[in-house]
Amino acid sequence: MRNLKTIFAADLSFSDHISNVTRISYFHLHNLSRIRPFLSKPDTGTLVQAFVTSRLDYCNVLFSGLSSTALKKTAACSKHCSLDLN
């Protein structure tokens, strides 16, 4: 079931939602890496915040209480965001 752009599974594991959000975030990071040579560092930070970090942070309060293995995907994507800015 999809509600507020969040995918709810019957077992409330959010694994489908986490997979979807990280897949879309990596897609945007890949596209931003193509135009990165033409952008300044502040502009890159703004675009990463707009396209990637905002998706990762949206509804993350629902992830409280999930196992650390379930959150490894979002942590890895967040790490890529910080590496992309350097």
Side-chain angles (χ1 to χ4, degrees):
M1 179 171 127
R2 185 180 285 264
N3 192 9
L4 295 174
K5 296 184 182 180
T6 304
I7 301 170
F8 290 96
D11 60 354
L12 293 178
S13 66
F14 293 102
S15 59
D16 291 338
H17 174 72
I18 291 171
S19 295
N20 188 40
V21 166
T22 54
R23 181 180 52 83
I24 292 170
S25 296
Y26 280 123
F27 171 78
H28 287 301
L29 280 175
H30 176 73
N31 285 339
L32 287 173
S33 71
R34 290 180 178 181
I35 62 169
R36 175 67 178 102
F38 308 108
L39 298 172
S40 66
K41 194 169 185 174
D43 291 340
T44 303
T46 302
L47 290 174
V48 167
Q49 173 64 33
F51 289 112
V52 182
T53 311
S54 61
R55 287 187 191 277
L56 292 174
D57 290 342
Y58 181 72
C59 286
N60 66 353
V61 72
L62 298 174
F63 301 155
S64 63
L66 291 180
S67 66
S68 61
T69 56
L71 299 176
K72 282 184 181 177
K73 285 184 180 181
T74 57
C77 191
S78 186
K79 184 178 178 180
H80 276 337
C81 289
S82 64
L83 291 175
D84 212 31
L85 292 176
N86 293 329

